[in-house]
Amino acid sequence: MTSITANQLWQFSLDFYPKVQTTCLAWQDNFKANVNLLLLLCYLEQQQLSISQQTLFNLSQSLTTYNIRITQRVRQLRRKVSRLNTLTKQQQLQFKQHLLAVELIAEQQEQQRLVHTLTTNLNLITNSCDPLLELYLQQLCQPLTRTAQLYLTELRQALAL
């Protein structure tokens, strides 16, 4: 059975995310998507692998607590730094850079959690070309809006390159 590693997913994300950052953030902001799960689904589709709709739902649920308690809090703090009037612009920039590094660690740990869940039970991954991005979008947004379809198309085009 085909498996993936956390390092493979992370390297894919580092290469792919800059191409789709705006689209991923739109999914996150408009549909409450988890960008790490979105990147995993892109990776699986690129590798012609798939997971079931139930597995997708379970993966999404498994990230919720960690994402809310850790990743989102660090992100919110990083975004608030520029409002700290007691810091110089240089201090604000340094503080933001440190928080961004912590945020990236949290993002990487989210990906490790996803891969661990999938690799613990290899039966969760199948060799298939199921439309995982559509499944995820349907979980997040019903009915699918024209905007949602546009974001989906943007990710598909980036995967095709």
Side-chain angles (χ1 to χ4, degrees), residues 104-138:
L104 285 174
I105 291 168
E107 299 277 4
Q108 190 171 20
Q109 290 194 355
E110 281 189 22
Q111 288 193 0
Q112 290 170 355
R113 295 167 81 92
L114 288 168
V115 171
H116 175 75
T117 300
L118 288 177
T119 57
T120 300
N121 183 352
L122 292 180
N123 295 334
L124 296 178
I125 303 173
T126 60
N127 291 319
S128 175
C129 295
D130 293 337
L132 295 175
L133 296 174
E134 284 87 343
L135 286 176
Y136 189 37
L137 193 54
Q138 288 169 1

Side-chain angles (χ1 to χ4, degrees), residues 1-4 8 43-44 47-49 118-119 121-127:
M1 177 70 359
T2 304
S3 184
I4 64 171
Q8 288 170 328
Y43 178 78
L44 290 173
Q47 300 300 310
Q48 297 185 335
L49 300 172
L118 288 177
T119 57
N121 183 352
L122 292 180
N123 295 334
L124 296 178
I125 303 173
T126 60
N127 291 319

Side-chain angles (χ1 to χ4, degrees), residues 60-95:
S60 180
Q61 296 296 32
S62 74
L63 285 181
T64 300
T65 302
Y66 183 88
N67 184 268
I68 290 170
R69 290 185 179 169
I70 306 294
T71 310
Q72 287 184 30
R73 286 184 180 177
V74 174
R75 184 178 302 128
Q76 289 167 355
L77 183 59
R78 177 179 53 83
R79 289 176 176 168
K80 290 179 181 178
V81 167
S82 58
R83 290 185 251 154
L84 294 174
N85 297 331
T86 58
L87 300 177
T88 66
K89 292 290 181 192
Q90 181 64 30
Q91 290 170 323
Q92 288 175 6
L93 182 62
Q94 284 181 319
F95 197 13

Side-chain angles (χ1 to χ4, degrees), residues 16-29:
F16 186 64
Y17 183 75
K19 300 171 193 170
V20 294
Q21 179 179 358
T22 303
T23 303
C24 287
L25 293 176
W27 279 57
Q28 177 181 278
D29 295 342

